Amino acid sequence: MVAAWVLLFAPALAFLGIVGVGLRSRRISAGLAIGGLAVSFFCAVALLLQPAAHTLKNAAESSLTWVKLPGLLLEFGILVDPWAVLMSLVVTGVGLNIFIYSVGYMKGDAGFTRYFAVLSLFAFSMLGIVLANNFVTCFIFWELVGASSYLLIGHWYDRPKAAEAGKKAFLVNRIADFGFLLGILLLWSLSGLAGETKTLNYLELAKRLEFLAASPAVNASLLALAGGLIFCGVVGKSAQFPLHVWLPDAMEGPTPVSALIHAATMVAAGVYLLSRAFFLFAASPDLMALIAWVGGATALLAAGLALVENDIKRILAYSTLSQLGFMVMALGLGGRAAGIYHLTTHAFFKALLFLGAGSVIHALHTNDIRQMGGLLKPMPVTSATFLVGTFALCGIFPLSGFFSKDEILAVAYAHDPLLWKIGTLTAGLTAFYMGRLVSIAFLGESRARHPAREAPPIMTRPLLVLAFFSAVGGFLGIPHFLMGAPNHEEMNWTVAVTSTVVSAAGLGLAFALFRLSWRPLPWLTRLARPFLTLLERKYFVDDLYAWINRNVQQRLAHLSNAFERYVIIGLWVNGTAKMTGLTGSALRLIQTGKVQAYALLFLAGLSLLTFLSLGKPWAR
């Protein structure tokens, strides 16, 4: 377990080292950040390759007692099992390539050292979520991930859009995390109903859950409510509908940050939590159905938004939303291994695509695909690796995305035919918008304002590494490692052939429309116009939130402000103070300091008491 603790804290030590001694040196800050994550990566490999590999099948825990009171035990601990080891490899392996790439991409940036410091903090925070053995530890790191993402998305805080994007990501996730926290508290209260010490430990909760579900003292709907509230955190972090609005705006940060958020860290945290707490969600079939449909709806709706976007990073952002929807749908349908399998392969090719986009932006100084084109010759490495990532994302055989995507579609085919159809349609839309991106941005004649040239080796080498794993990731035996099940033993050929044909059709249609200049029939264009308007306005979700902000939130804010100003401050606080002052002023009039006045008051009081004690003599 020593390796697991080193795995967790190496990036934290790098962060402290940069803040302490590296802020004045770009080379030291980058070296500490890369070195810290490299140590974590080798520790993850050591956990994977340990001789007693079977111990990974039995979760190993190590924890420190944090709070111990009668009936309450809180721990700061780590849990090592196949899920944690795989996710640690993804975070550190993909993250290490992004860290190295960042040295070239951020060269000359005024906030270079600050960038690498926060990058290390971000990696530490994500590894904390991955290795946490209880909900409290997880929530602490969960919030650290949110804070780190805010700092990285708003790295160029002098740009208003970047500053606003960072705040938007932070605030939207605060809404979701409030539900997550309520779910943790409810689950904690339920865990001690049988008289045991209350706990939030994953393994202990999994053992107690069966008893709690059968106990007459526990309403089954309470467990479902706890799971639903915790799922709120997943909806926020993994940007599921309707809390998806922060993720496209997060593209205002540096492109390597986008790659890290979309591939290996922040958005992956929600899906990983869904897998880690699977025992809780699986106890409620209705909750599982809700999770599956939230994922399916997000996959389809986000794929539609990518069809009309012209910013290369935003296209990939909507693609991430769609693929996260696939993963959530798989987990909601009971495909725990399928969801994490796709999360792993997606980390490879989505990091590759974002870093490839970063190389293009670095060369052409624009995000608009309409100002690109003709990149195959001047940028051969970037173009070739981007095509590998594109075909992997589209699920083209034999690249990694084919196997993991079809694993999800096979689960949907077996459990919910309608969701399978939605997933297959989404696969076709994915191929279409990626075909559109490649046709406009990489093929044809150059429309760039600046001459394109290949990125330096420090940026292209990570692309080659990620392209390799994007190509062979389907043959690494990930489902077997997670579940002990044979890899690809029961391929559903109906699903595989259908999805391949649909993806090929999407790519072909995009090539025909945007490379061969084929124009559909006029009536078809007119029919599609309302749908395109709907997509361009992003389903009016942002407009709805803006209306709620103006007409509900602002009015409530003004009402609260008036209540605070006139009732709490004016009447309660200031009114009490004024009443006290007036009373004091009245009493002060009595305190004259003259003996004669005090004697007169004494005689008046004595006369009044005598009169009251004798009653009313005139009434006799």
Side-chain angles (χ1 to χ4, degrees):
M1 295 298 289
V2 174
W5 284 107
V6 175
L7 164 65
L8 173 60
F9 281 103
L13 294 175
F15 166 73
L16 294 175
I18 296 171
V19 172
V21 300
L23 282 178
R24 296 180 180 274
S25 172
R26 291 169 174 259
R27 180 173 295 181
I28 292 176
S29 62
L32 286 172
I34 293 171
L37 197 61
V39 169
S40 294
F41 173 70
F42 288 121
C43 288
V45 172
L47 291 174
L48 176 68
L49 299 179
Q50 61 180 342
H54 65 277
T55 59
L56 291 176
K57 308 302 179 183
N58 302 315
E61 282 190 282
S62 177
S63 60
L64 304 172
T65 300
W66 183 14
V67 177
K68 188 174 183 180
L69 297 171
L72 172 63
L73 176 64
L74 295 181
E75 301 172 319
F76 181 88
I78 58 176
L79 171 65
V80 178
D81 65 0
W83 308 87
V85 171
L86 177 64
M87 197 64 197
S88 297
L89 286 168
V90 170
V91 173
T92 57
V94 174
L96 186 59
N97 282 279
I98 295 171
F99 277 39
I100 295 171
Y101 178 97
S102 294
V103 175
Y105 190 88
M106 300 298 289
K107 183 180 180 181
D109 187 85
F112 185 93
T113 55
R114 170 169 52 86
Y115 169 84
F116 275 97
V118 181
L119 215 59
S120 294
L121 179 63
F122 200 13
F124 166 63
S125 305
M126 184 61 196
L127 288 171
I129 293 175
V130 170
L131 294 171
N133 73 334
N134 64 81
F135 278 109
V136 173
T137 304
C138 175
F139 190 77
I140 293 170
F141 286 107
W142 191 270
E143 293 305 300
L144 272 176
V145 163
S148 303
S149 66
Y150 164 73
L151 294 172
L152 287 171
I153 293 169
H155 175 75
W156 292 313
Y157 55 85
D158 55 335
R159 303 179 185 179
K161 285 187 176 181
E164 290 297 320
K167 288 190 290 185
K168 186 174 184 178
F170 189 78
L171 292 174
V172 170
N173 276 277
R174 294 293 67 71
I175 295 170
D177 292 353
F178 180 67
F180 184 19
L181 181 59
L182 291 178
I184 292 174
L185 294 174
L186 178 57
L187 193 60
W188 175 76
S189 66
L190 294 174
S191 68
L193 287 179
E196 309 100 323
T197 299
K198 293 178 181 179
T199 183
L200 287 169
N201 182 278
Y202 294 141
L203 299 181
E204 186 61 30
L205 281 172
K207 293 176 184 177
R208 295 184 189 182
L209 190 62
E210 185 176 352
F211 171 78
L212 290 173
S215 172
V218 180
N219 190 330
S221 61
L222 286 178
L223 285 174
L225 177 60
L229 288 169
I230 289 173
F231 180 61
C232 288
V234 176
V235 171
K237 275 289 188 290
S238 289
Q240 297 298 285
F241 189 86
L243 297 182
H244 64 286
V245 293
W246 69 268
L247 192 57
D249 290 341
M251 299 302 97
E252 296 298 332
T255 302
V257 170
S258 302
L260 194 62
I261 289 175
H262 286 250
T265 53
M266 186 171 180
V267 298
V271 176
Y272 180 77
L273 176 64
L274 199 57
S275 169
R276 173 57 73 198
F278 190 74
F279 61 87
L280 174 62
F281 303 109
S284 174
D286 291 338
L287 178 59
M288 290 287 281
L290 173 65
I291 292 171
W293 276 98
V294 167
T298 302
L300 181 61
L301 294 174
L305 293 174
L307 297 174
V308 296
E309 184 58 66
N310 293 312
D311 185 310
I312 187 171
K313 288 173 64 176
R314 284 179 176 262
I315 293 172
L316 297 178
Y318 286 124
S319 171
T320 299
L321 284 174
S322 183
Q323 298 305 305
L324 289 169
F326 262 111
M327 301 168 205
V328 171
M329 182 180 75
L331 286 156
L333 292 171
R336 186 185 181 195
I340 297 300
Y341 184 17
H342 195 56
L343 177 64
T344 304
T345 61
H346 176 263
F348 297 144
F349 54 73
K350 187 52 61 70
L352 171 61
L353 290 169
F354 266 109
L355 296 185
S359 294
V360 173
I361 295 168
H362 189 264
L364 303 181
H365 308 289
T366 180
N367 290 27
D368 195 331
I369 60 174
R370 295 168 296 184
Q371 298 176 15
M372 299 178 185
L375 297 178
L376 293 179
K377 288 184 179 180
M379 303 184 72
V381 176
T382 299
S383 300
T385 54
F386 196 93
L387 286 174
V388 171
T390 297
F391 290 139
L393 174 59
C394 295
I396 303 301
F397 181 85
L399 303 181
S400 60
F402 168 81
F403 297 104
S404 59
K405 180 198 68 178
D406 277 25
E407 197 91 9
I408 293 175
L409 291 177
V411 171
Y413 184 83
H415 293 88
D416 193 323
L418 182 55
L419 280 176
W420 169 66
K421 293 175 183 176
I422 290 174
T424 302
L425 174 60
T426 302
L429 294 176
T430 301
F432 180 80
Y433 65 68
M434 289 306 298
R436 171 179 175 264
L437 189 160
V438 170
S439 297
I440 296 175
F442 287 86
L443 305 180
E445 299 298 325
S446 175
R447 298 174 298 280
R449 299 175 183 177
H450 301 272
R453 61 179 182 178
E454 189 59 89
I458 198 168
M459 294 171 65
T460 55
R461 286 170 184 166
L463 296 180
L464 294 171
V465 173
L466 292 169
F468 172 78
F469 283 101
S470 298
V472 306
F475 300 99
L476 297 180
I478 294 171
H480 175 72
F481 174 71
L482 290 175
M483 304 295 290
N487 192 28
H488 312 310
E489 183 180 65
E490 299 179 0
M491 178 177 287
N492 188 315
W493 288 101
T494 300
V495 170
V497 172
T498 302
S499 65
T500 300
V501 170
V502 169
S503 296
L507 285 170
L509 180 60
F511 187 79
L513 284 172
F514 302 105
R515 184 70 186 92
L516 302 180
S517 300
W518 175 74
R519 291 291 176 265
L521 297 174
W523 67 268
L524 190 59
T525 303
R526 289 194 299 270
L527 183 65
R529 187 65 254 171
F531 296 100
L532 293 176
T533 301
L534 182 65
L535 296 176
E536 288 166 355
R537 295 299 299 272
K538 302 175 184 177
Y539 307 114
F540 298 96
V541 174
D542 284 297
D543 297 315
L544 174 62
Y545 287 161
W547 182 89
I548 292 173
N549 181 62
R550 288 192 308 270
N551 297 282
V552 179
Q553 187 270 338
Q554 286 297 317
R555 291 181 181 180
L556 285 174
H558 288 307
L559 181 63
S560 299
N561 179 61
F563 181 79
E564 179 187 23
R565 177 174 297 180
Y566 298 112
V567 177
I568 296 178
I569 297 176
L571 185 59
W572 190 357
V573 178
N574 292 342
T576 304
K578 288 179 181 178
M579 182 61 69
T580 303
L582 290 173
T583 304
S585 298
L587 292 173
R588 187 174 58 195
L589 295 175
I590 301 173
Q591 302 295 326
T592 63
K594 296 180 179 180
V595 176
Q596 299 92 324
Y598 297 152
L600 180 61
L601 287 173
F602 176 77
L603 290 173
L606 182 61
S607 299
L608 179 62
L609 288 172
T610 303
F611 177 79
L612 292 175
S613 63
L614 293 176
K616 301 176 181 179
W618 62 83
R620 294 176 183 173

